[in-house]
């Protein structure tokens, strides 16, 4: 069953990726939530003292996946094959899907189809214990950072699509504060650890500068 279309009828998708309670990663997630509550997002994204960078990036990647999943879930009824026949972020940016295994050559597809491919692909990466080990003491693979960067780069595209194509719906649903906070947290995180190339962020560059200037 595909990740999103199976639950098309429900208004939001339930995040499928849970960090097991009692695990060290769960403690890290709780730490992240507590610092987020302080309202200082720049501080909230910093690597906690004595923690492993890979683990911190893993926990936050799972968290962003869940957040974006829920945010997109609220607007799926407006993001359809006919309203969004291509996956884009405004007129200048169009995304084609390839995962390197099932689909090697990038294909042009509608936004809902692209996001379905994307979320299913991310879910598979997060569930892969060799890539995202959930047990203490199991080392992260050597290519972990490049996998995490690819996941985050692609998740950014969902934010970019929502902002460019569906922001009016977000406003109607009174969710703009939630979207803005989630995106700001995401951007501060990827900036802190230099996880997404600046060129990739171009579709939302103005917004990113605006969000950043408020925190200086």
């Amino acid at each position: 069953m595909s990740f999103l279309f199976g639950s098309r009828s429900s208004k939001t998708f339930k995040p499928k990726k849970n960090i097991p309670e009692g695990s060290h990663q769960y403690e890290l997630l709780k730490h992240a939530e507590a610092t987020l509550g302080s309202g200082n997002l720049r501080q909230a994204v910093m690597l906690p003292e004595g923690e492993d960078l890979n683990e911190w990036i893993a926990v936050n990647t799972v968290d962003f996946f869940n957040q974006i999943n829920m945010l997109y879930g609220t607007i799926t009824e407006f993001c359809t094959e006919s309203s969004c026949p291509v996956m884009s972020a405004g007129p200048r940016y169009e995304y084609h899907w390839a995962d390197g295994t099932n689909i090697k050559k990038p294909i042009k597809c509608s936004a809902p189809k692209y996001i379905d491919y994307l979320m299913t692909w991310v879910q598979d990466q997060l569930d892969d214990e060799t890539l995202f080990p959930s047990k203490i003491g199991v080392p992260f693979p050597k290519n972990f950072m490049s996998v995490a960067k690819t996941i985050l780069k692609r998740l950014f595209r969902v934010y970019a699509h929502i902002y460019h194509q569906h922001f009016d719906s977000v406003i109607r649903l009174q969710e703009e504060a939630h979207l803005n906070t989630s995106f700001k947290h995401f951007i501060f995180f990827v900036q802190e650890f230099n996880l997404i190339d600046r060129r990739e962020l171009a579709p939302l560059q103005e917004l990113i500068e605006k969000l950043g200037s408020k925190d200086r």
Side-chain angles (χ1 to χ4, degrees):
M1 187 175 90
S2 77
F3 186 68
L4 299 182
F5 289 111
S7 50
R8 259 286 186 253
S9 55
S10 62
K11 194 158 158 47
T12 53
F13 313 119
K14 289 282 173 277
K16 285 189 172 178
K17 182 71 183 175
N18 287 322
I19 292 175
E21 254 182 270
S23 67
H24 182 60
Q25 291 182 352
Y26 187 78
E27 297 305 312
L28 272 182
L29 184 65
K30 286 283 159 254
H31 170 88
E33 284 169 0
T35 47
L36 272 177
S38 73
N40 185 337
L41 286 173
R42 288 260 182 233
Q43 215 174 331
V45 297
M46 288 176 182
L47 179 67
E49 209 174 316
E51 292 299 343
D52 176 65
L53 177 61
N54 285 346
E55 194 154 34
W56 182 239
I57 286 175
V59 165
N60 281 278
T61 300
V62 170
D63 192 35
F64 288 127
F65 168 71
N66 287 339
Q67 283 185 46
I68 294 166
N69 197 8
M70 285 170 71
L71 284 163
Y72 181 69
T74 62
I75 57 113
T76 48
E77 62 198 281
F78 313 111
C79 186
T80 63
E81 300 281 325
S82 54
S83 71
C84 303
V86 292
M87 174 63 178
S88 63
R92 289 173 54 211
Y93 300 97
E94 188 176 301
Y95 301 115
H96 296 176
W97 177 255
D99 58 16
T101 46
N102 299 325
I103 300 173
K104 291 193 166 73
K105 203 172 173 199
I107 56 167
K108 191 169 177 169
C109 53
S110 68
K113 192 74 188 141
Y114 183 100
I115 293 169
D116 185 39
Y117 279 135
L118 169 61
M119 293 306 206
T120 306
W121 175 80
V122 175
Q123 180 73 51
D124 289 343
Q125 310 299 304
L126 299 181
D127 285 341
D128 184 342
E129 282 287 326
T130 64
L131 284 177
F132 280 77
S134 58
K135 294 179 179 60
I136 296 205
V138 177
F140 282 84
K142 289 201 165 49
N143 67 333
F144 171 74
M145 201 57 88
S146 70
V147 172
K149 283 179 175 180
T150 304
I151 290 172
L152 293 165
K153 174 180 80 176
R154 289 176 170 177
L155 288 176
F156 167 81
R157 295 170 181 177
V158 184
Y159 281 119
H161 179 71
I162 293 173
Y163 272 111
H164 276 283
Q165 313 302 130
H166 302 292
F167 197 61
D168 53 343
S169 301
V170 170
I171 289 170
R172 273 205 309 279
L173 294 164
Q174 299 183 319
E175 285 183 358
E176 67 267 39
H178 182 54
L179 174 64
N180 287 342
T181 303
S182 173
F183 180 63
K184 189 173 179 180
H185 180 202
F186 178 88
I187 284 300
F188 285 7
F189 186 79
V190 299
Q191 285 175 337
E192 174 75 14
F193 303 105
N194 203 12
L195 297 168
I196 301 182
D197 193 293
R198 196 182 156 87
R199 279 177 318 211
E200 286 284 339
L201 301 174
L204 293 177
Q205 196 51 51
E206 276 177 50
L207 175 64
I208 291 167
E209 280 164 19
K210 206 163 94 182
L211 293 173
S213 66
K214 289 181 182 168
D215 271 71
R216 294 216 163 85

